[in-house]
Amino acid sequence: MSERPSPVVAILTLGCKLNQADSQALARELLAHGCQIIDRPAPADALIINACSVTHVADRKSRHLVRLARRLAPEATVILTGCHEQNSSGHDLARRLGADWLVANADKPAIAQRLLHHWQEQGRLGAGPTTPEACASGTAIQPSDGLRTRAFVKIQEGCNEVCAFCVVPRTRGREKSVPMRDVVAQVLSRQAEGVKEVVLTGTQVGNYGRDLGLCQGPTDLLAALLAETTIPRLRLSSLQAQDISESLLRLWQNRRLCRHFHLPLQSGSDRILAAMRRRYTVDQFRQAVAIIRRWLPDVAITTDVIVGFPGEEDEDFERTHDLCQELAFAAIHVFPYSRRPGTLAALAKEQVPHAVKRQRLQRMLKLARASADAFRARFRGQTLDVLWEDARARQDGRPPLWRGLTDNYLRVYTSARGGWASGLCTENGSASGRCPGFDLANRLLPARLGEPLGDGLWGELEPAGAPPPVDVGPGGPACR
């Protein structure tokens, strides 16, 4: 009697790094029970949509994925979780779209066991499209690639702030920190798996430990992780301007901490910041950026900006635009204000006309592109360590294009041929001593940064670390 094929589960993730951490935890548990995990829409035994509701666009994408999942796998169990609208109308809509289960954020940890139990009860464990062909349109997640390169570890969840535009306090609840010993244990587990970088994530990372009675929670946690683990890279997902202090930055003398800070600005107008109920002024934000750069000259500082918030006048927008130009961010994530039911701003009468929002959005996006290009250009000709993640096939027959990240959040691409570095060979023992292929996945190797390529830079692997890049001809490398 042949063994039942392993169940296939597609986990589709939208939104923040906190959702990515939840999805990785779910993938690990299902993998441990013998499931095959893919991260693209494809026929499967179950499709889990880990949704986002931070804007109306995110809501629309979530609904689209539910419809797509039902079309791809009519007999599958379709599960909607994450920050979807958790009211009765939202549930009714999700069911009409085709979701079988709606799972609140607080109940995410039970999804894997509930799904396995459901299959056992129905006698369907292993039934359905579980052949290798079923995974052809998805990317299989194996312990040796996506889950081993950069791992997201949740250190806290929830938010006690009440920003006027944000639904997160309702969808994620009040702040709750993961005990420090549990975070250290998780990072040690990822270290044992061979993970090279851990991203510490949460809704309000800078408030970590307040509910545990810690006065300097993020600082204490980072100090413990530096002392008790040896993982090569630790990265914080996001902080607020008021979280920045010299005692925190002093820890970055240890180069295992990535030189990257994400500080949401939202607006460069004190009047709008007050209306948004943010807890900093423009001057305080400017000072936070200055102190970070004083400690870490080559740091990447990225930010979020909302344009068209209710009551935003042309002068307010110009202040935001000018401040972003002055602070020269490595990346600016720009969002048009999205009216979220149940938030204070949704009740404001001074809503900005759509055409004005669109115009301001285009100007900020143009500045964001110029700012990112200028930051990347600073590092051309430098050699930096790159954590190589994965390779993407190219349709013209040239070798795959590998992509990776520097610690200061520069995206780097390369392509190379095997035979020059035996340590990178994926096959051994050829008579000629040359290796037909090599694998950069999850390797931390130096690369000399060169010409711009897509959202990053071309990188030439250092001869001591890896084979030289392939000659791509006068047209340069092509990025899919």
Side-chain angles (χ1 to χ4, degrees):
M1 182 175 178
S2 61
E3 293 184 2
R4 291 179 182 270
S6 300
V8 175
V9 182
I11 302 177
L12 315 176
T13 308
L14 293 170
C16 64
K17 289 180 173 61
L18 192 54
N19 264 6
Q20 294 178 55
D22 291 336
S23 290
Q24 283 195 354
L26 182 56
R28 280 190 167 88
E29 186 172 2
L30 289 168
L31 280 168
H33 286 84
C35 297
Q36 299 177 59
I37 306 297
I38 56 177
D39 62 358
R40 305 287 174 84
D45 295 288
L47 293 97
I48 303 169
I49 296 95
N50 195 357
C52 177
S53 191
V54 71
T55 66
H56 72 278
V57 173
D59 272 339
R60 188 168 66 240
K61 288 180 179 178
S62 301
R63 294 193 295 269
H64 168 72
L65 282 179
V66 174
R67 288 193 297 265
L68 179 60
R70 180 50 69 210
R71 286 200 307 270
L72 287 171
E75 303 302 320
T77 301
V78 176
I79 303 167
L80 178 61
T81 187
C83 293
H84 58 86
E85 288 300 322
Q86 297 186 39
N87 52 39
S88 58
S89 61
H91 279 58
D92 292 342
L93 174 60
R95 294 200 186 281
R96 289 199 303 272
L97 293 172
D100 297 303
W101 302 351
L102 287 94
V103 180
N105 276 313
D107 298 324
K108 277 183 188 177
I111 288 177
Q113 289 301 320
R114 181 180 171 187
L115 189 55
L116 293 167
H117 181 68
H118 172 72
W119 284 334
Q120 290 169 351
E121 280 192 331
Q122 300 297 318
R124 293 184 61 247
L125 191 60
T130 55
T131 63
E133 289 76 17
C135 298
S137 58
T139 302
I141 298 176
Q142 300 296 338
S144 60
D145 50 53
L147 291 180
R148 278 187 54 193
T149 302
R150 300 177 70 230
F152 295 86
V153 171
K154 179 164 60 178
I155 66 171
Q156 71 87 231
E157 186 169 14
C159 182
N160 294 351
E161 315 293 338
V162 191
C163 292
F165 54 82
C166 188
V167 296
V168 170
R170 189 174 77 236
T171 60
R172 291 279 182 180
R174 294 187 65 79
E175 292 174 9
K176 184 177 181 181
S177 301
V178 178
M180 192 181 302
R181 63 181 181 276
D182 294 342
V183 177
V184 172
Q186 286 189 61
V187 175
L188 286 171
S189 294
R190 302 294 82 80
Q191 177 181 306
E193 293 169 3
V195 167
K196 296 295 194 299
E197 178 178 315
V198 159
V199 182
L200 303 171
T201 187
T203 314
Q204 286 286 357
V205 170
N207 290 351
Y208 173 80
R210 285 186 180 182
D211 55 318
L212 303 177
L214 300 175
C215 296
Q216 293 185 306
T219 302
D220 294 342
L221 176 62
L222 288 177
L225 289 171
L226 290 172
E228 299 180 41
T229 75
T230 58
I231 204 152
R233 283 186 179 178
L234 292 164
R235 189 185 302 271
L236 284 183
S237 63
S238 182
L239 291 170
Q240 302 293 336
Q242 63 269 18
D243 300 328
I244 302 303
S245 66
E246 294 212 3
S247 62
L248 177 68
L249 291 170
R250 207 168 279 122
L251 294 173
W252 264 258
Q253 294 177 21
N254 189 319
R255 290 299 299 271
R256 291 168 57 201
L257 290 177
C258 292
R259 297 170 298 169
H260 172 215
F261 288 79
H262 185 75
L263 298 181
L265 170 62
Q266 310 303 7
S267 176
S269 162
D270 281 332
R271 188 178 73 85
I272 297 301
L273 286 175
M276 289 178 167
R277 301 178 63 126
R278 303 293 285 175
R279 294 198 299 112
Y280 52 84
T281 65
V282 169
D283 280 345
Q284 288 169 333
F285 190 95
R286 187 184 277 115
Q287 290 168 18
V289 170
I291 189 175
I292 293 171
R293 286 179 172 155
R294 188 161 65 245
W295 280 84
L296 301 164
D298 289 333
V299 68
I301 300 179
T302 58
T303 197
D304 298 331
V305 168
I306 295 173
V307 299
F309 185 81
E312 183 187 69
E313 301 288 350
D314 288 343
E315 183 180 1
D316 299 309
F317 171 75
E318 294 299 336
R319 287 176 175 170
T320 302
H321 188 276
D322 291 348
L323 183 63
C324 288
Q325 199 165 33
E326 170 196 335
L327 296 180
F329 293 108
I332 306 171
H333 307 287
V334 190
F335 305 90
Y337 168 71
S338 182
R339 203 169 185 171
R340 301 282 78 199
T343 61
L344 185 63
L347 304 175
K349 295 180 179 179
E350 298 177 330
Q351 298 292 325
V352 176
H354 178 71
V356 175
K357 274 197 284 190
R358 185 171 63 246
Q359 182 184 43
R360 292 174 183 172
L361 175 67
Q362 292 307 313
R363 282 192 61 197
M364 280 302 305
L365 288 174
K366 182 179 179 181
L367 175 61
R369 288 190 291 269
S371 188
D373 289 345
F375 180 76
R376 289 192 289 264
R378 287 175 47 195
F379 298 92
R380 288 174 58 185
Q382 294 190 29
T383 297
L384 296 179
D385 287 340
V386 178
L387 178 56
W388 298 100
E389 297 178 74
D390 53 33
R392 297 185 175 188
R394 293 191 280 184
Q395 296 175 342
D396 56 9
R398 288 181 296 172
L401 195 65
W402 285 90
R403 63 175 189 161
L405 279 176
T406 64
D407 78 303
N408 62 343
Y409 219 57
L410 292 166
R411 176 63 68 187
V412 184
Y413 297 94
T414 198
S415 180
R417 56 190 171 212
W420 284 266
S422 60
L424 297 178
C425 285
T426 56
E427 298 181 36
N428 297 312
S430 62
S432 65
R434 294 172 67 83
C435 174
F438 72 98
D439 187 5
L440 292 181
N442 201 36
R443 294 179 183 272
L444 194 56
L445 297 170
R448 185 175 178 82
L449 307 185
E451 296 296 317
L453 176 59
D455 61 347
L457 296 168
W458 183 254
E460 293 193 8
L461 297 170
E462 291 291 287
V470 162
D471 180 8
V472 295
C479 180
R480 285 184 63 195

